[in-house]
Amino acid sequence: MATNAGTQPPAEQTLFVRKASGLVKGWSTGDGFRYSFFSTNIFLGIWGFLYAVFIPGGSVFWSIIITTLFVLLEVVVYSGLISAMPRAGGDYVWQSRVFHSSVGFIFGATGWWFILWLWIPIYAALCVNSFIKPILRILGAGGSADWLASKNGVFVASLATIALATYLVAVGMKTYARFQKWALWIGLAGCAVAAILLLVTTKAHFITAFNREALHLYGTKDAYAATIKNAGAGMPSSMFAGTFKETLKLIPVMAFWLLWPVWGATLYGEVRGAKDFRKNIYQMAGGLLAAVAIVIAFLFLVTKTMGWAFFESSANGYMGVLYAYIDPSKVVGGGDYLSPTAMTAWIVNNAAFQVILIAVISLLVFGWWGTVFLSSTRMIFASAFDRILPERVAKVTSGGVPVYALLLMAIPSIIVSAFYAYQPSFVQLTYDATLVIAAMFFVTGLAFMVMPWRAKAIWDNSALPKGKFLGIPWLAVVAAIYSLFMLGNLVAWFYDKTNVYGVGYKNKNSMIFMGILYVAAIVIWIVAWAVRKRQGMELEAVAKEIPVE
Amino acid sequence: MKVRLFFATDVHGSEVCWRKFINSAKHYEVDVLILGGDMTGKAIVPIVDEGAGRWQYTMQDVVHNMQGDDELVLNERLIADHGYYPIRMTHEQVQDLTAHPEKLDELFKREMRGTVERWVQFADERLAGTNVQCIVCPGNDDTDDIDEILATSKTITVGEGNVIDMAEGYQLVSSGWTNLTPWDTPREEDEPALKERILSVVAQATAPPDRLVLGLHAPPYDTQLDVAPKIDWESLTVKGQDTAHVGSSAVKEVIKEVQPLLSLHGHIHESRAAERLGRTLAINPGSSYVEGTLSGVVVDLDGKSKVKRYRLTMG
């Protein structure tokens, strides 16, 4: 059964359908919007702003705008590919089809499978620092909050994330899908309350409230002024301030947050049947733009109520201690992350209100992070069906649990989480989590760019607009511009002379880590190719076009 | 001696997929071709005469305007490759068909029959003189008269309700009937009746289970082969991201009871997968006919009692 072959009859019928399986309306634009909105998670954005302190000469506001414009091109590219080839496996399948099985596997496996191991501790750190620790401190459990910041705490939080993600893929997705729906609206309601608080609160009132809570929770006197004094050196005074050159340098920082409205790419084939190019654009662009609008509104409110210099100083205080360039004794809480959500909740001098508001807003993250393994398992399945991975990998238990695919996610995630927790330098590899996926996105952009020629039959057969610009399909032009954008990011991350992003050629650990991922993917493909060859099976033949004539 | 099968399914009127199916015999060097059902298209696309050599049609919400015969023929081919039937007509004819469902039914029958007749001719041209065995079984979306047209072929064996001998003593038991769907399609029935129908064909087989292949359009219930978007049966709308197992419990019971060597399925395009049910390897290669891509599976039988290997293909 196809999923959206049928349409409602317009004034004059443009399609006559008969009684046949699959003639249904596609899933709602709202569902797709919600998935993209969650993925371009506003709290990933706020967490990502921490890294902007390393490029104080750039404008946060304008970098968001510029990055968003380029990511809209990404939305067009992915909408086009989903429309032309709506298959579970996403980038892996498209690259295999347009280029070669090896290309699809190397970039698909590293981007949708291996690097998700690193996202686990990043998710855990985001949740713990943004929500759980602030709640524990308000509840008077400062010791527990401190423990969560310890090496063991970080590792345990990562294990909890792995356990939840495994559980959801194994048995709970349907319930979780319902939870997501509620989590979005309740979380947004919490954000609305926070926005009203920031709107009606004067800066003077905020400073008083912040100082009160900092004294109560951390024992720091006059914390607002101290934060600016001790961690504000060199920080910008406005989110608009910055040179064009430095603002461009902030784009790879914003990519950490904004590249993900297409996160559902590997799932489209199986659950959505989304062949409608324009609807895909509406869904993903809608999710992206809504997230950007909310964050920009938040930044304006921060500027008005907290003061931009303070906001940047509080971020710099945390990063300074984490990266060991600020003495912990000089900043509030010894470098504890001053969660903007918590600081907003502190405006109201009532512990119960503070806890409830933080908990409610946290649903915007908890409604999203559970799906961290979902896309990966689909990529693993697709490569198993193509016989690159053993058949066993795609096996499910009688209860429907993809046990081997989950083990391939969970076990390495535990190892990577251990490194993240117990090797202080490993936390500096955060941008590898974006870089490796961005490399896959770059190759996917190239695949769409050459699709009219390399996969002509699929291109011709698709319902994509075939308009041309200077004789070249305009969608290929869009893909070329998008690919250049991604290439620019990759170059910025790799050839990072001043080590501002921390994952370039100057960071040996990053090079080794990524090298291991790519070499592992290459080795797996070559071994699979050799084994299948011996069995009389050509891996390349899986996607080889059958002659039509 | 090894026997190589190529199985594809659910081409739904796609001209390009049918041609690929027939040509896959040479491409994959197979002994037996099996099409698992749902040959016929689901929709007619009216190409409306706008006068002065201009024509217009709408597909997937995109309006296509054409000028002249060359563009018209090219677009008719694209629509046919997509699995729909392109019909040239006037605005008055569109309105007439809209107002008279019986005329629309007649038009569908004519197009379906015409297409299958052309396909049979293509198969006979390509497969004549080869040693390739070609078995085609209609599916739940195919009307009864399709079987009669297929039976006129010199190279195609009709699968529906038959036990078909293959090389090395293997036998194929085939049926395109499915469990009930929300669309009230031509070949569907409730689970008890379906089980009875399948078992009555299985009873005719003389090969032992380890040389028996089932070709059943409906996939077994509650497996990786039968996951589809959850649908509201009243409004025929998809229920968000929710998915459901929509395969047949009768098919699953038959597989578990008979334990054939191999079981080939289709019907659920999105659920491309392979799964073992006891000793049986069950496969649904899925369908990507809308893209003009033929999803299939190449299966090597070892000539004895085992599936030597299989690979899902996208050709």
Side-chain angles (χ1 to χ4, degrees), chain A residues 1 3 12 16 18-19 21 31 87 97 174 278 381 385 387 461 463 535 542 545 547-549, chain B residues 19-20 23 40-42 44 60-61 91 141 183-184 224 240 243 267 270 272 291-292 309-310 314:
Chain A
M1 290 186 281
T3 50
E12 181 176 273
F16 292 108
R18 66 185 179 94
K19 280 183 178 178
S21 315
D31 289 333
R87 307 219 195 115
R97 185 84 181 144
K174 283 182 185 174
R278 281 178 297 184
F381 270 42
F385 292 152
R387 313 320 305 274
N461 222 44
Q535 293 174 343
V542 166
E545 189 91 15
V548 179
E549 300 305 333
Chain B
R19 286 171 169 263
K20 285 182 173 182
N23 289 340
T40 46
K42 299 175 181 181
I44 287 170
Q60 292 184 328
D61 293 335
H91 284 289
D141 282 339
W183 297 278
D184 188 22
Q224 280 183 282
T243 56
H267 194 40
E270 302 89 341
R272 177 176 166 87
E291 301 163 39
R309 69 179 73 91
Y310 72 92
M314 299 290 279

Side-chain angles (χ1 to χ4, degrees), chain A residues 53-394:
Chain A
V53 302
F54 296 140
I55 309 167
S59 162
V60 166
F61 176 82
W62 289 112
S63 68
I64 292 172
I65 299 298
I66 296 169
T67 310
T68 301
L69 292 175
F70 280 107
V71 175
L72 284 172
L73 302 182
E74 174 180 283
V75 166
V76 174
V77 166
Y78 274 75
S79 296
L81 282 162
I82 290 164
S83 171
M85 288 189 267
R87 307 219 195 115
D91 301 73
Y92 159 72
V93 174
W94 301 324
Q95 292 176 22
S96 299
R97 185 84 181 144
V98 175
F99 292 126
H100 192 266
S101 164
S102 57
V103 175
F105 184 77
I106 290 163
F107 287 99
T110 48
W112 276 127
W113 174 12
F114 299 168
I115 203 61
L116 271 293
W117 304 332
L118 179 59
W119 275 100
I120 288 288
I122 293 173
Y123 277 29
L126 189 161
C127 289
V128 163
N129 284 292
S130 298
F131 309 113
I132 297 174
K133 277 171 62 183
I135 287 175
L136 287 173
R137 290 202 188 284
I138 292 166
L139 293 174
S144 300
D146 290 338
W147 179 80
L148 272 175
S150 70
K151 291 176 178 177
N152 288 338
V154 171
F155 186 55
V156 168
S158 299
L159 291 182
T161 305
I162 293 167
L164 177 66
T166 304
Y167 171 79
L168 288 170
V169 174
V171 290
M173 270 317 292
K174 283 182 185 174
T175 308
Y176 191 64
R178 279 195 288 274
F179 168 67
Q180 277 188 325
K181 219 167 195 168
W182 286 103
L184 176 71
W185 295 116
I186 296 171
L188 282 177
C191 285
V193 171
I196 292 166
L197 269 179
L198 288 170
L199 191 66
V200 301
T201 303
T202 63
K203 192 170 176 181
H205 184 154
F206 173 79
I207 293 170
T208 304
F210 178 79
N211 285 341
R212 180 193 70 233
E213 294 296 334
L215 181 64
H216 171 60
L217 298 173
Y218 298 110
T220 308
K221 288 181 184 170
D222 201 13
Y224 185 91
T227 300
I228 295 175
K229 184 185 170 194
N230 296 326
M235 290 297 107
S237 56
S238 153
M239 65 172 161
F240 300 104
T243 65
F244 182 65
K245 191 178 168 190
E246 293 296 302
T247 299
L248 290 183
K249 284 186 187 172
L250 271 175
I251 290 175
V253 172
M254 296 306 158
F256 175 74
W257 161 44
L258 288 170
L259 283 185
W260 319 125
V262 299
W263 194 259
T266 64
L267 309 173
Y268 269 75
E270 68 198 77
V271 294
R272 305 177 187 185
K275 300 179 187 76
D276 188 327
F277 176 58
R278 281 178 297 184
K279 196 161 103 179
N280 291 341
I281 291 180
Y282 297 152
Q283 290 170 351
M284 293 193 280
L288 169 70
L289 295 176
V292 167
I294 290 172
V295 167
I296 286 179
F298 166 74
L299 294 181
F300 272 106
L301 289 170
V302 160
T303 302
K304 179 196 92 59
T305 309
M306 297 184 189
W308 188 256
F310 166 77
F311 181 67
E312 287 284 300
S313 302
S314 70
N316 196 39
Y318 174 70
M319 295 302 273
V321 172
L322 193 65
Y323 283 75
Y325 61 85
I326 289 180
D327 182 349
S329 66
K330 300 265 180 155
V331 290
V332 176
D336 212 13
Y337 175 56
L338 295 174
S339 159
T341 312
M343 289 194 289
T344 304
W346 291 348
I347 290 171
V348 177
N349 188 13
N350 181 298
F353 174 86
Q354 292 170 1
V355 168
I356 290 169
L357 184 63
I358 296 169
V360 163
I361 291 176
S362 76
L363 290 175
L364 282 180
V365 171
F366 288 112
W368 158 64
W369 76 334
T371 57
V372 62
F373 283 173
L374 192 60
S375 295
S376 313
T377 55
R378 297 312 182 262
M379 184 272 150
I380 292 170
F381 270 42
S383 53
F385 292 152
D386 287 354
R387 313 320 305 274
I388 296 172
L389 299 176
E391 177 193 349
R392 181 180 291 262
V393 167

Side-chain angles (χ1 to χ4, degrees), chain A residues 492-505:
Chain A
W493 280 314
F494 270 116
Y495 296 102
D496 183 10
K497 289 180 187 168
T498 50
N499 203 25
V500 69
Y501 309 111
V503 291
Y505 69 94

